C-alpha cells in the first residue's frame, strides 16, 4: 500500500476501549494508526493531509455483528429467495456500500440468501473490486427439513426454492457443511430454533444434537466458527453444549442458560438482534402487521423477554453485540446504528458501553482483537470523524450527515469538507 499520511488534528478521541475521551491528534500512515499525539497541537506534519478535527469526535469504525448483505429489504424470506440471482447480486453489492456509508467498517455475516454470495462479496471487497466493510462470510442458514428457513413449497420440494439450506440427519449435515467450507466461508450458521413470523414458533428447537455435533466436528479441523439462530432456552443450551461461538437472539434465556453463558463468557458472543423485534412488534403496520395483530404481539412479548434476558447478561459481563437483522422491509439496511440506541434505551447500557459493544467488541468478534476496533497506535485505520458527541446523544451515529469522515483501512471512503 502506498504510504499516504493523514493527520486528524485536535480531535476529541473516543478510543473505543471505554476510557474517557481526550483531545489529541491521530496520524495515519498506510492502513494503520502510526502515532497518537495527546493534547492540543498546532504543528503540521510534513507530507501529510491535515484534517482539522477540532470539536469533533474521532472514534473507531463500527462493527455490525449480525449482517446480511444479501437480504434485500423485502418483507418475507420467500420474497428474498425469489429475487433473480442477477438482480440479487447487484442489490447485495449496493448493500455493502450502504453499510459502509452508515459508518460500519466491519461486519460479521450472519448467513447469506444464496450459497456462495457472502464469499464472493467478501472476496470482491478484499480485492477492491467493490466497496464495503471488512466482512466475515457465512453460508446459507442450515436448517432442518421443515424448520425455520425451509421455504420450499410442500408440493414442489426443491432446495432452489428454499431460503435456508436444508438437512436431515448427520450425514447430510456433514456434506452440507463441507460444501460451504469448499466455498470459503468464515463461519457456518445453524438454525436451532424457530421464529414467530414463520410456521415454526420461536420456542421450538427442531435440530437434533447429533446434527449439531456433526456440524461442529466438520468445521473443527478448519478452525471455523459456528453461529446460531437460537431464540428458545433449549436452543441456547444446545449452543453452549456444542461450542457455538456466536449466539443470535437468545431471547428466552432462562436461569440455567444465564449460568452457562456466564461460564463461557470469554468464548461466546450474544447478538440479540433488537431492531427486528422492535420493528416487527411496533413498526410494521405498512406491511400488514399492525401492533394489535397477533403476530406483532408475539414479537412484543418476545421483545420483553429479550430485554430482561439481555439486562441480566449485561450484569454478568456477557459480551452483547449489536446487529439488528437489518435487510427486511421494516428494518432497512443503513439504519444499523439504531441498535446502539436500543442498547441504551432498552437495555440500560451507558452510551459508552454501547460504543464499546460496536468498537472494542467489534474487533473481538471480527477475530482481530489485537489490531481492530480501537484508536490505538499500531491498530488498523478504521476511523469515524463525527460532528457531534455520541456520549451525550447516541443517536448522532444514525445521522449519516454527522459522519463527516469514514476511513477504512487507511482509505478515505467518505470525506465531507
Ligand atoms: Zn439474521
Amino acid at each position: 500500500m502506498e504510504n499516504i499520511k493523514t493527520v486528524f488534528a485536535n480531535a476529541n478521541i473516543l478510543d473505543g476501549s471505554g476510557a474517557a475521551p481526550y483531545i489529541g491528534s491521530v496520524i495515519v500512515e498506510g492502513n494503520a494508526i502510526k502515532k497518537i499525539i495527546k493534547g492540543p497541537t498546532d504543528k503540521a506534519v510534513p507530507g501529510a493531509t491535515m484534517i482539522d478535527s477540532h470539536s469533533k469526535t474521532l472514534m473507531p469504525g463500527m462493527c455490525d455483528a449480525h449482517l446480511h448483505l444479501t437480504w434485500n429489504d423485502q418483507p418475507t424470506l420467500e420474497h428474498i429467495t425469489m429475487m433473480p440471482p442477477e438482480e440479487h447480486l447487484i442489490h447485495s453489492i449496493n448493500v455493502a456500500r450502504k453499510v459502509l456509508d452508515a459508518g460500519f467498517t466491519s461486519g460479521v455475516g450472519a448467513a447469506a440468501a444464496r450459497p456462495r454470495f457472502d464469499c464472493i462479496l467478501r472476496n470482491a471487497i478484499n480485492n477492491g473490486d467493490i466497496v464495503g466493510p471488512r466482512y466475515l462470510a457465512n453460508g446459507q442458514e442450515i436448517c432442518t427439513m421443515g424448520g425455520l428457513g425451509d421455504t420450499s413449497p410442500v408440493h414442489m420440494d426443491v432446495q432452489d426454492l428454499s431460503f435456508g439450506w436444508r438437512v436431515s440427519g448427520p450425514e447430510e449435515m456433514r456434506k452440507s457443511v463441507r460444501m460451504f467450507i469448499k466455498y470459503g466461508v468464515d463461519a457456518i450458521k445453524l438454525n436451532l430454533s424457530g421464529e414467530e413470523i414463520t410456521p415454526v414458533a420461536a420456542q421450538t428447537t427442531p435440530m437434533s444434537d447429533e446434527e449439531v455435533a456433526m456440524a461442529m466436528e466438520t468445521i473443527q479441523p478448519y478452525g471455523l466458527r459456528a453461529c446460531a439462530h437460537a431464540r428458545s432456552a433449549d436452543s441456547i443450551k444446545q449452543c453452549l453444549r456444542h461450542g457455538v461461538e456466536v449466539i443470535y437472539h437468545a431471547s428466552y434465556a432462562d436461569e440455567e442458560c444465564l449460568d452457562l453463558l456466564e461460564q463461557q463468557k470469554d468464548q461466546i458472543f450474544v447478538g440479540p438482534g433488537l431492531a427486528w423485534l422492535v420493528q416487527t412488534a411496533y413498526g410494521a403496520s405498512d406491511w400488514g402487521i399492525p401492533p394489535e395483530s397477533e403476530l406483532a404481539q408475539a414479537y412484543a412479548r418476545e421483545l420483553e423477554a429479550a430485554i430482561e434476558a439481555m439486562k441480566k447478561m449485561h450484569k454478568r459481563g456477557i459480551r452483547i453485540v449489536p446487529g439488528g437483522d437489518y435487510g427486511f422491509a421494516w428494518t432497512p439496511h443503513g439504519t444499523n446504528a439504531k441498535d446502539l440506541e436500543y442498547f441504551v434505551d432498552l437495555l440500560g447500557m451507558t452510551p459508552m458501553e454501547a460504543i464499546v459493544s460496536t468498537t472494542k467488541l467489534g474487533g473481538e468478534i471480527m477475530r482481530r482483537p489485537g489490531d481492530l476496533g480501537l484508536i490505538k497506535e499500531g491498530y488498523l485505520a478504521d476511523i469515524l470523524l463525527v460532528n457531534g458527541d455520541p456520549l451525550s446523544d447516541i443517536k448522532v451515529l444514525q445521522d449519516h450527515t454527522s459522519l463527516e469522515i469514514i476511513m477504512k483501512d487507511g482509505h478515505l471512503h467518505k470525506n465531507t469538507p
Side-chain angles (χ1 to χ4, degrees), residues 49-243:
T49 307
M50 300 293 289
I51 296 170
D52 178 11
S53 309
H54 178 74
S55 79
K56 289 169 187 170
T57 303
L58 185 146
M59 61 178 274
M62 296 183 282
C63 174
D64 187 308
H66 186 142
L67 205 51
H68 296 293
L69 295 182
T70 57
W71 278 202
N72 48 23
D73 295 339
Q74 295 285 326
T76 69
L77 302 181
E78 285 82 355
H79 280 95
I80 294 176
T81 311
M82 293 317 289
M83 186 179 239
E86 296 82 358
E87 282 86 344
H88 203 161
L89 182 58
I90 300 285
H91 189 279
S92 304
I93 289 169
N94 288 333
V95 170
R97 174 183 290 275
K98 228 181 229 183
V99 170
L100 187 55
D101 285 343
F104 287 80
T105 50
S106 48
V108 179
R114 295 180 186 281
R116 293 181 57 238
F117 264 36
D118 251 20
C119 293
I120 60 168
L121 288 164
R122 175 204 58 202
N123 295 347
I125 291 168
N126 289 346
N127 291 337
D129 296 331
I130 65 170
V131 168
R134 299 176 193 278
Y135 192 59
L136 295 181
N138 214 312
Q140 258 171 306
E141 314 190 335
I142 299 177
C143 63
T144 57
M145 180 75 78
L148 162 66
D150 180 0
T151 58
S152 175
V154 285
H155 64 292
M156 42 199 306
D157 202 30
V158 285
Q159 180 57 49
D160 275 356
L161 293 175
S162 179
F163 173 79
W165 189 267
R166 307 167 316 154
V167 301
S168 269
E171 272 316 312
E172 282 188 26
M173 177 64 86
R174 174 165 23 214
K175 189 175 178 192
S176 304
V177 171
R178 283 184 175 162
M179 177 188 79
F180 287 119
I181 293 172
K182 179 177 176 180
Y183 294 163
V185 296
D186 296 301
I188 58 148
K189 166 96 176 267
L190 303 175
N191 280 358
L192 300 184
S193 81
E195 173 78 42
E196 296 300 337
I197 205 165
T198 73
V200 187
Q203 299 207 57
T204 311
T205 309
M207 198 175 279
S208 71
D209 263 13
E210 289 77 10
E211 289 164 328
V212 178
M214 178 61 89
M216 300 309 291
E217 184 187 315
T218 310
I219 57 172
Q220 193 273 334
Y222 298 91
L224 298 179
R225 137 199 292 173
C227 66
H229 173 100
R231 296 192 182 277
S232 65
D234 283 345
S235 65
I236 299 164
K237 288 169 202 166
Q238 217 168 23
C239 289
L240 295 161
R241 269 200 304 282
H242 293 280

Side-chain angles (χ1 to χ4, degrees), residues 351-373:
M352 182 67 98
E353 288 171 332
I355 286 166
V356 169
S357 77
T358 195
T359 54
K360 178 172 183 278
L361 297 190
E364 291 174 13
I365 200 169
M366 289 297 290
R367 294 189 145 180
R368 304 193 73 149
D371 67 359
L372 187 65

